[in-house]
Amino acid sequence: MGEFILRRLLAAIPVLLIVTLIAASIMQLVPGDPAAVIAGQGASDAEVAQVRAQLGLDRSFPVRLAEWYVGLARGDLGHSLMLNRSVGQAILERVPVTLALSGVALLLTVLIGVPAGVLAALRPNSWVDQLVLTLALVGVSVPNFWLSLMLIVLFGVIVEWFPTGGYVPFADDPVQWARSLVLPSISLALLQIGLLARITRATMLEVLRNDYVRTARAKGLPRRMVVGKHALKNVMIPVVTVIGISFGLLLSGSVVIETVYSIPGMGRLLATAIFSRDYPVIQGGLLVTAATLVLLNLVVDLLYAALDPRVTYDRR
């Protein structure tokens, strides 16, 4: 197992380098000059050129990219063009916020999506099944930015149960931290809840038709034991894959949600960096995001082995 983890981590290095190369190359094609933005609207061409030289933007793209990779090898993600601070420091301050938001959204997704799918599969074609399918369809159909605005108007402005935006660190006030994450996490999770409920239902229906489940029923085992011990464990193998994908989608979806709710996380940092052409922040942010997804896929693969004894990663 240790060898498998080491091989996966080593294989991830070229993947991450390619991701940053593609991101940096694409940003060079986007129109706009960060030096002109920093110099201001009334700046002359000479002043813009001076800012460009100060930022090192007058050097060619291959040279700047090579310098960035050299810095990366030393653990330095570079210096932000707009924030006037190191990229690593800016990302370290934002990552916990995004992980908290995505983590709460993932918790809602699992706690609601899996039981809803199982419940619908145990009562196929009943009103419970139709209700779950309808709500799941609504969940995957409603855009999260529109849902965010509706939740803000209803629960933030009209009844005033939750704040309309902002973020309170857990260390400052745990209660306000939880309140500040309720509406954003619901907005972020609704789509994934619908998807997970539908996939769990379909998988459970297939598992319940297997011979070993019918045998367990024929033995007279209680329904709770048949579902919990024999069926649910096999359902969780594909569901874990979906949960892993869902967490990746939640991380990427945080760009919109953090912007709508004014949450100072990685998503908002990246959105601001893209609009201002802050290349080092974009490259560093995408590198951290890609590394997180690589680690997440590794965790999912390890969970396979934990759920299914037939799955082994040891070389024979």
Side-chain angles (χ1 to χ4, degrees):
M1 184 66 76
E3 182 185 355
F4 168 74
I5 296 175
L6 181 61
R7 280 191 281 113
R8 287 290 300 270
L9 293 177
L10 291 177
I13 294 176
V15 174
L16 298 178
L17 293 179
I18 291 174
V19 167
T20 53
L21 175 62
I22 294 175
S25 302
I26 291 176
M27 286 306 300
Q28 296 303 310
L29 302 177
V30 177
D33 185 356
V37 176
I38 294 175
Q41 293 184 349
S44 64
D45 292 342
E47 290 171 332
V48 173
Q50 183 179 4
V51 172
R52 189 178 296 114
Q54 290 174 348
L55 297 176
L57 296 174
D58 55 342
R59 296 192 292 273
S60 65
F61 170 64
V63 171
R64 283 186 283 126
L65 186 62
E67 290 176 347
W68 189 80
Y69 279 131
V70 171
L72 178 63
R74 299 194 303 265
D76 182 10
L77 294 176
H79 199 82
S80 170
L81 302 179
M82 303 294 173
L83 302 177
N84 194 25
R85 61 193 310 191
S86 72
V87 174
Q89 186 180 8
I91 290 176
L92 281 177
E93 291 177 357
R94 304 297 185 100
V95 164
V97 179
T98 297
L99 288 180
L101 173 60
S102 302
V104 173
L106 182 66
L107 189 64
L108 291 176
T109 300
V110 175
L111 293 181
I112 299 175
V114 174
V118 171
L119 197 61
L122 293 178
R123 295 172 175 79
N125 302 318
S126 66
W127 70 268
V128 176
D129 187 21
Q130 295 302 319
L131 178 63
V132 170
L133 289 177
T134 302
L135 294 178
L137 182 60
V138 171
V140 299
S141 303
V142 176
N144 56 10
F145 67 87
W146 183 85
L147 176 66
S148 300
L149 296 177
M150 294 301 102
L151 292 177
I152 288 173
V153 172
L154 181 59
F155 295 104
V157 177
I158 297 178
V159 298
E160 299 181 354
W161 287 354
F162 302 104
T164 57
Y167 177 79
V168 179
F170 180 84
D172 292 352
D173 190 335
V175 175
Q176 293 303 319
W177 171 80
R179 293 185 72 241
S180 67
L181 287 179
V182 170
L183 298 185
S185 57
I186 292 175
S187 304
L188 192 56
L190 189 63
L191 168 63
Q192 303 307 320
I193 291 173
L195 289 174
L196 188 61
R198 293 179 69 89
I199 292 173
T200 303
R201 175 187 178 274
T203 308
M204 177 61 88
L205 284 174
E206 185 177 349
V207 169
L208 290 176
R209 298 190 189 103
N210 287 331
D211 291 339
Y212 63 88
V213 174
R214 284 198 288 264
T215 302
R217 286 173 172 166
K219 289 180 179 177
L221 293 177
R223 187 181 190 186
R224 184 177 58 183
M225 183 174 293
V226 173
V227 173
K229 185 177 180 181
H230 296 276
L232 191 57
K233 189 173 182 180
N234 291 288
V235 168
M236 289 308 296
I237 295 174
V239 167
V240 163
T241 305
V242 178
I243 292 174
I245 297 173
S246 294
F247 191 61
L249 295 174
L250 291 173
L251 285 175
S252 58
S254 65
V255 174
V256 175
I257 299 302
E258 288 179 2
T259 302
V260 172
Y261 287 96
S262 300
I263 295 176
M266 274 290 296
R268 192 178 176 195
L269 176 67
L270 274 175
T272 305
I274 291 172
F275 285 125
S276 59
R277 310 292 187 272
D278 197 340
Y279 303 133
V281 173
I282 297 171
Q283 288 176 233
L286 290 179
L287 176 67
V288 171
T289 303
T292 304
L293 295 178
V294 167
L295 291 176
L296 186 64
N297 285 326
L298 177 59
V299 171
V300 170
D301 288 341
L302 296 178
L303 286 175
Y304 285 156
L307 291 171
D308 190 348
R310 296 170 298 178
V311 177
T312 177
Y313 299 115
D314 294 330
R315 287 185 172 177
R316 298 179 185 278

